[in-house]
mmCIF file with all atom_site columns, all heavy atoms in Angstrom:
data_model
loop_
_atom_site.group_PDB
_atom_site.id
_atom_site.type_symbol
_atom_site.label_atom_id
_atom_site.label_alt_id
_atom_site.label_comp_id
_atom_site.label_asym_id
_atom_site.label_entity_id
_atom_site.label_seq_id
_atom_site.pdbx_PDB_ins_code
_atom_site.Cartn_x
_atom_site.Cartn_y
_atom_site.Cartn_z
_atom_site.occupancy
_atom_site.B_iso_or_equiv
_atom_site.pdbx_formal_charge
_atom_site.auth_seq_id
_atom_site.auth_comp_id
_atom_site.auth_asym_id
_atom_site.auth_atom_id
_atom_site.pdbx_PDB_model_num
ATOM 1   N N   . ALA A 1 74 ? -15.739 -0.072 17.028 1.00 96.00 ? 74 ALA A N   1
ATOM 2   C CA  . ALA A 1 74 ? -14.534 -0.851 17.284 1.00 96.00 ? 74 ALA A CA  1
ATOM 3   C C   . ALA A 1 74 ? -13.543 -0.080 18.133 1.00 96.00 ? 74 ALA A C   1
ATOM 4   O O   . ALA A 1 74 ? -12.931 -0.653 19.055 1.00 96.00 ? 74 ALA A O   1
ATOM 5   C CB  . ALA A 1 74 ? -13.899 -1.260 15.957 1.00 96.00 ? 74 ALA A CB  1
ATOM 6   N N   . LEU A 1 75 ? -13.376 1.182  17.806 1.00 96.00 ? 75 LEU A N   1
ATOM 7   C CA  . LEU A 1 75 ? -12.391 1.983  18.566 1.00 96.00 ? 75 LEU A CA  1
ATOM 8   C C   . LEU A 1 75 ? -12.786 2.154  20.021 1.00 96.00 ? 75 LEU A C   1
ATOM 9   O O   . LEU A 1 75 ? -11.941 2.174  20.911 1.00 96.00 ? 75 LEU A O   1
ATOM 10  C CB  . LEU A 1 75 ? -12.243 3.340  17.927 1.00 96.00 ? 75 LEU A CB  1
ATOM 11  C CG  . LEU A 1 75 ? -11.597 3.394  16.555 1.00 96.00 ? 75 LEU A CG  1
ATOM 12  C CD1 . LEU A 1 75 ? -11.542 4.828  16.004 1.00 96.00 ? 75 LEU A CD1 1
ATOM 13  C CD2 . LEU A 1 75 ? -10.203 2.786  16.533 1.00 96.00 ? 75 LEU A CD2 1
ATOM 14  N N   . ARG A 1 76 ? -14.078 2.205  20.298 1.00 95.00 ? 76 ARG A N   1
ATOM 15  C CA  . ARG A 1 76 ? -14.559 2.365  21.660 1.00 95.00 ? 76 ARG A CA  1
ATOM 16  C C   . ARG A 1 76 ? -14.397 1.097  22.455 1.00 95.00 ? 76 ARG A C   1
ATOM 17  O O   . ARG A 1 76 ? -14.236 1.144  23.686 1.00 95.00 ? 76 ARG A O   1
ATOM 18  C CB  . ARG A 1 76 ? -16.030 2.814  21.649 1.00 95.00 ? 76 ARG A CB  1
ATOM 19  C CG  . ARG A 1 76 ? -16.258 4.204  21.102 1.00 95.00 ? 76 ARG A CG  1
ATOM 20  C CD  . ARG A 1 76 ? -17.721 4.563  21.080 1.00 95.00 ? 76 ARG A CD  1
ATOM 21  N NE  . ARG A 1 76 ? -18.271 4.652  22.425 1.00 95.00 ? 76 ARG A NE  1
ATOM 22  C CZ  . ARG A 1 76 ? -19.517 5.005  22.707 1.00 95.00 ? 76 ARG A CZ  1
ATOM 23  N NH1 . ARG A 1 76 ? -20.346 5.326  21.701 1.00 95.00 ? 76 ARG A NH1 1
ATOM 24  N NH2 . ARG A 1 76 ? -19.922 5.087  23.954 1.00 95.00 ? 76 ARG A NH2 1
ATOM 25  N N   . SER A 1 77 ? -14.446 -0.044 21.781 1.00 90.00 ? 77 SER A N   1
ATOM 26  C CA  . SER A 1 77 ? -14.467 -1.330 22.488 1.00 90.00 ? 77 SER A CA  1
ATOM 27  C C   . SER A 1 77 ? -13.102 -2.034 22.508 1.00 90.00 ? 77 SER A C   1
ATOM 28  O O   . SER A 1 77 ? -12.863 -2.934 23.288 1.00 90.00 ? 77 SER A O   1
ATOM 29  C CB  . SER A 1 77 ? -15.477 -2.280 21.859 1.00 90.00 ? 77 SER A CB  1
ATOM 30  O OG  . SER A 1 77 ? -15.169 -2.543 20.520 1.00 90.00 ? 77 SER A OG  1
ATOM 31  N N   . GLN A 1 78 ? -12.183 -1.627 21.595 1.00 81.00 ? 78 GLN A N   1
ATOM 32  C CA  . GLN A 1 78 ? -10.904 -2.313 21.460 1.00 81.00 ? 78 GLN A CA  1
ATOM 33  C C   . GLN A 1 78 ? -9.946  -1.883 22.563 1.00 81.00 ? 78 GLN A C   1
ATOM 34  O O   . GLN A 1 78 ? -9.985  -0.758 23.075 1.00 81.00 ? 78 GLN A O   1
ATOM 35  C CB  . GLN A 1 78 ? -10.269 -2.036 20.100 1.00 81.00 ? 78 GLN A CB  1
ATOM 36  C CG  . GLN A 1 78 ? -10.931 -2.747 18.951 1.00 81.00 ? 78 GLN A CG  1
ATOM 37  C CD  . GLN A 1 78 ? -10.731 -4.246 18.987 1.00 81.00 ? 78 GLN A CD  1
ATOM 38  O OE1 . GLN A 1 78 ? -9.772  -4.711 19.583 1.00 81.00 ? 78 GLN A OE1 1
ATOM 39  N NE2 . GLN A 1 78 ? -11.623 -4.952 18.370 1.00 81.00 ? 78 GLN A NE2 1
ATOM 40  N N   . GLU A 1 79 ? -9.080  -2.819 22.924 1.00 85.00 ? 79 GLU A N   1
ATOM 41  C CA  . GLU A 1 79 ? -7.907  -2.467 23.726 1.00 85.00 ? 79 GLU A CA  1
ATOM 42  C C   . GLU A 1 79 ? -7.027  -1.540 22.896 1.00 85.00 ? 79 GLU A C   1
ATOM 43  O O   . GLU A 1 79 ? -7.241  -1.358 21.718 1.00 85.00 ? 79 GLU A O   1
ATOM 44  C CB  . GLU A 1 79 ? -7.136  -3.737 24.169 1.00 85.00 ? 79 GLU A CB  1
ATOM 45  C CG  . GLU A 1 79 ? -7.953  -4.644 25.057 1.00 85.00 ? 79 GLU A CG  1
ATOM 46  C CD  . GLU A 1 79 ? -7.177  -5.902 25.388 1.00 85.00 ? 79 GLU A CD  1
ATOM 47  O OE1 . GLU A 1 79 ? -5.983  -5.984 25.030 1.00 85.00 ? 79 GLU A OE1 1
ATOM 48  O OE2 . GLU A 1 79 ? -7.738  -6.803 26.032 1.00 85.00 ? 79 GLU A OE2 1
ATOM 49  N N   . GLU A 1 80 ? -6.005  -1.010 23.514 1.00 92.00 ? 80 GLU A N   1
ATOM 50  C CA  . GLU A 1 80 ? -5.173  0.008  22.850 1.00 92.00 ? 80 GLU A CA  1
ATOM 51  C C   . GLU A 1 80 ? -4.606  -0.513 21.521 1.00 92.00 ? 80 GLU A C   1
ATOM 52  O O   . GLU A 1 80 ? -4.000  -1.563 21.425 1.00 92.00 ? 80 GLU A O   1
ATOM 53  C CB  . GLU A 1 80 ? -4.017  0.390  23.774 1.00 92.00 ? 80 GLU A CB  1
ATOM 54  C CG  . GLU A 1 80 ? -3.199  1.550  23.250 1.00 92.00 ? 80 GLU A CG  1
ATOM 55  C CD  . GLU A 1 80 ? -2.180  2.027  24.268 1.00 92.00 ? 80 GLU A CD  1
ATOM 56  O OE1 . GLU A 1 80 ? -2.553  2.076  25.463 1.00 92.00 ? 80 GLU A OE1 1
ATOM 57  O OE2 . GLU A 1 80 ? -1.058  2.307  23.902 1.00 92.00 ? 80 GLU A OE2 1
ATOM 58  N N   . LEU A 1 81 ? -4.834  0.305  20.471 1.00 96.00 ? 81 LEU A N   1
ATOM 59  C CA  . LEU A 1 81 ? -4.330  0.031  19.137 1.00 96.00 ? 81 LEU A CA  1
ATOM 60  C C   . LEU A 1 81 ? -3.090  0.909  18.848 1.00 96.00 ? 81 LEU A C   1
ATOM 61  O O   . LEU A 1 81 ? -2.964  1.996  19.404 1.00 96.00 ? 81 LEU A O   1
ATOM 62  C CB  . LEU A 1 81 ? -5.397  0.299  18.100 1.00 96.00 ? 81 LEU A CB  1
ATOM 63  C CG  . LEU A 1 81 ? -6.649  -0.568 18.126 1.00 96.00 ? 81 LEU A CG  1
ATOM 64  C CD1 . LEU A 1 81 ? -7.726  0.045  17.244 1.00 96.00 ? 81 LEU A CD1 1
ATOM 65  C CD2 . LEU A 1 81 ? -6.343  -1.973 17.690 1.00 96.00 ? 81 LEU A CD2 1
ATOM 66  N N   . GLU A 1 82 ? -2.254  0.421  17.948 1.00 97.00 ? 82 GLU A N   1
ATOM 67  C CA  . GLU A 1 82 ? -1.131  1.214  17.523 1.00 97.00 ? 82 GLU A CA  1
ATOM 68  C C   . GLU A 1 82 ? -1.416  1.870  16.170 1.00 97.00 ? 82 GLU A C   1
ATOM 69  O O   . GLU A 1 82 ? -0.893  2.978  15.868 1.00 97.00 ? 82 GLU A O   1
ATOM 70  C CB  . GLU A 1 82 ? 0.134   0.364  17.397 1.00 97.00 ? 82 GLU A CB  1
ATOM 71  C CG  . GLU A 1 82 ? 0.623   -0.138 18.748 1.00 97.00 ? 82 GLU A CG  1
ATOM 72  C CD  . GLU A 1 82 ? 1.779   -1.123 18.603 1.00 97.00 ? 82 GLU A CD  1
ATOM 73  O OE1 . GLU A 1 82 ? 2.898   -0.641 18.417 1.00 97.00 ? 82 GLU A OE1 1
ATOM 74  O OE2 . GLU A 1 82 ? 1.531   -2.342 18.696 1.00 97.00 ? 82 GLU A OE2 1
ATOM 75  N N   . SER A 1 83 ? -2.245  1.220  15.310 1.00 97.00 ? 83 SER A N   1
ATOM 76  C CA  . SER A 1 83 ? -2.538  1.774  13.992 1.00 97.00 ? 83 SER A CA  1
ATOM 77  C C   . SER A 1 83 ? -3.947  1.409  13.583 1.00 97.00 ? 83 SER A C   1
ATOM 78  O O   . SER A 1 83 ? -4.495  0.372  13.969 1.00 97.00 ? 83 SER A O   1
ATOM 79  C CB  . SER A 1 83 ? -1.552  1.213  12.933 1.00 97.00 ? 83 SER A CB  1
ATOM 80  O OG  . SER A 1 83 ? -0.230  1.573  13.262 1.00 97.00 ? 83 SER A OG  1
ATOM 81  N N   . VAL A 1 84 ? -4.519  2.279  12.761 1.00 97.00 ? 84 VAL A N   1
ATOM 82  C CA  . VAL A 1 84 ? -5.810  2.011  12.073 1.00 97.00 ? 84 VAL A CA  1
ATOM 83  C C   . VAL A 1 84 ? -5.525  2.107  10.600 1.00 97.00 ? 84 VAL A C   1
ATOM 84  O O   . VAL A 1 84 ? -5.107  3.185  10.112 1.00 97.00 ? 84 VAL A O   1
ATOM 85  C CB  . VAL A 1 84 ? -6.892  2.966  12.514 1.00 97.00 ? 84 VAL A CB  1
ATOM 86  C CG1 . VAL A 1 84 ? -8.182  2.705  11.725 1.00 97.00 ? 84 VAL A CG1 1
ATOM 87  C CG2 . VAL A 1 84 ? -7.173  2.861  14.002 1.00 97.00 ? 84 VAL A CG2 1
ATOM 88  N N   . LEU A 1 85 ? -5.684  1.005  9.867  1.00 97.00 ? 85 LEU A N   1
ATOM 89  C CA  . LEU A 1 85 ? -5.232  0.898  8.467  1.00 97.00 ? 85 LEU A CA  1
ATOM 90  C C   . LEU A 1 85 ? -6.413  1.080  7.481  1.00 97.00 ? 85 LEU A C   1
ATOM 91  O O   . LEU A 1 85 ? -7.389  0.347  7.538  1.00 97.00 ? 85 LEU A O   1
ATOM 92  C CB  . LEU A 1 85 ? -4.596  -0.463 8.205  1.00 97.00 ? 85 LEU A CB  1
ATOM 93  C CG  . LEU A 1 85 ? -3.548  -0.969 9.200  1.00 97.00 ? 85 LEU A CG  1
ATOM 94  C CD1 . LEU A 1 85 ? -3.105  -2.374 8.797  1.00 97.00 ? 85 LEU A CD1 1
ATOM 95  C CD2 . LEU A 1 85 ? -2.353  -0.007 9.236  1.00 97.00 ? 85 LEU A CD2 1
ATOM 96  N N   . LEU A 1 86 ? -6.298  2.013  6.575  1.00 97.00 ? 86 LEU A N   1
ATOM 97  C CA  . LEU A 1 86 ? -7.195  2.138  5.458  1.00 97.00 ? 86 LEU A CA  1
ATOM 98  C C   . LEU A 1 86 ? -6.603  1.310  4.329  1.00 97.00 ? 86 LEU A C   1
ATOM 99  O O   . LEU A 1 86 ? -5.600  1.660  3.723  1.00 97.00 ? 86 LEU A O   1
ATOM 100 C CB  . LEU A 1 86 ? -7.302  3.610  5.005  1.00 97.00 ? 86 LEU A CB  1
ATOM 101 C CG  . LEU A 1 86 ? -8.061  4.540  5.993  1.00 97.00 ? 86 LEU A CG  1
ATOM 102 C CD1 . LEU A 1 86 ? -7.669  5.958  5.738  1.00 97.00 ? 86 LEU A CD1 1
ATOM 103 C CD2 . LEU A 1 86 ? -9.572  4.354  5.845  1.00 97.00 ? 86 LEU A CD2 1
ATOM 104 N N   . SER A 1 87 ? -7.236  0.136  4.076  1.00 92.00 ? 87 SER A N   1
ATOM 105 C CA  . SER A 1 87 ? -6.649  -0.812 3.167  1.00 92.00 ? 87 SER A CA  1
ATOM 106 C C   . SER A 1 87 ? -7.753  -1.714 2.619  1.00 92.00 ? 87 SER A C   1
ATOM 107 O O   . SER A 1 87 ? -8.729  -1.237 2.102  1.00 92.00 ? 87 SER A O   1
ATOM 108 C CB  . SER A 1 87 ? -5.545  -1.621 3.882  1.00 92.00 ? 87 SER A CB  1
ATOM 109 O OG  . SER A 1 87 ? -4.945  -2.504 3.004  1.00 92.00 ? 87 SER A OG  1
ATOM 110 N N   . GLY A 1 88 ? -7.596  -3.046 2.766  1.00 87.00 ? 88 GLY A N   1
ATOM 111 C CA  . GLY A 1 88 ? -8.649  -3.998 2.431  1.00 87.00 ? 88 GLY A CA  1
ATOM 112 C C   . GLY A 1 88 ? -8.430  -4.778 1.164  1.00 87.00 ? 88 GLY A C   1
ATOM 113 O O   . GLY A 1 88 ? -7.291  -5.025 0.760  1.00 87.00 ? 88 GLY A O   1
ATOM 114 N N   . ASN A 1 89 ? -9.554  -5.131 0.520  1.00 89.00 ? 89 ASN A N   1
ATOM 115 C CA  . ASN A 1 89 ? -9.538  -6.027 -0.645 1.00 89.00 ? 89 ASN A CA  1
ATOM 116 C C   . ASN A 1 89 ? -9.222  -5.259 -1.968 1.00 89.00 ? 89 ASN A C   1
ATOM 117 O O   . ASN A 1 89 ? -9.853  -5.474 -2.976 1.00 89.00 ? 89 ASN A O   1
ATOM 118 C CB  . ASN A 1 89 ? -10.905 -6.696 -0.842 1.00 89.00 ? 89 ASN A CB  1
ATOM 119 C CG  . ASN A 1 89 ? -11.280 -7.634 0.297  1.00 89.00 ? 89 ASN A CG  1
ATOM 120 O OD1 . ASN A 1 89 ? -10.395 -8.131 0.987  1.00 89.00 ? 89 ASN A OD1 1
ATOM 121 N ND2 . ASN A 1 89 ? -12.573 -7.845 0.487  1.00 89.00 ? 89 ASN A ND2 1
ATOM 122 N N   . GLY A 1 90 ? -8.266  -4.394 -1.925 1.00 93.00 ? 90 GLY A N   1
ATOM 123 C CA  . GLY A 1 90 ? -7.949  -3.626 -3.125 1.00 93.00 ? 90 GLY A CA  1
ATOM 124 C C   . GLY A 1 90 ? -7.433  -2.256 -2.794 1.00 93.00 ? 90 GLY A C   1
ATOM 125 O O   . GLY A 1 90 ? -6.912  -2.001 -1.699 1.00 93.00 ? 90 GLY A O   1
#
Side-chain angles (χ1 to χ4, degrees):
L75 293 179
R76 294 178 65 177
S77 62
Q78 287 292 335
E79 296 178 6
E80 187 172 320
L81 296 167
E82 294 174 79
S83 300
V84 177
L85 311 177
L86 291 158
S87 183
N89 295 337

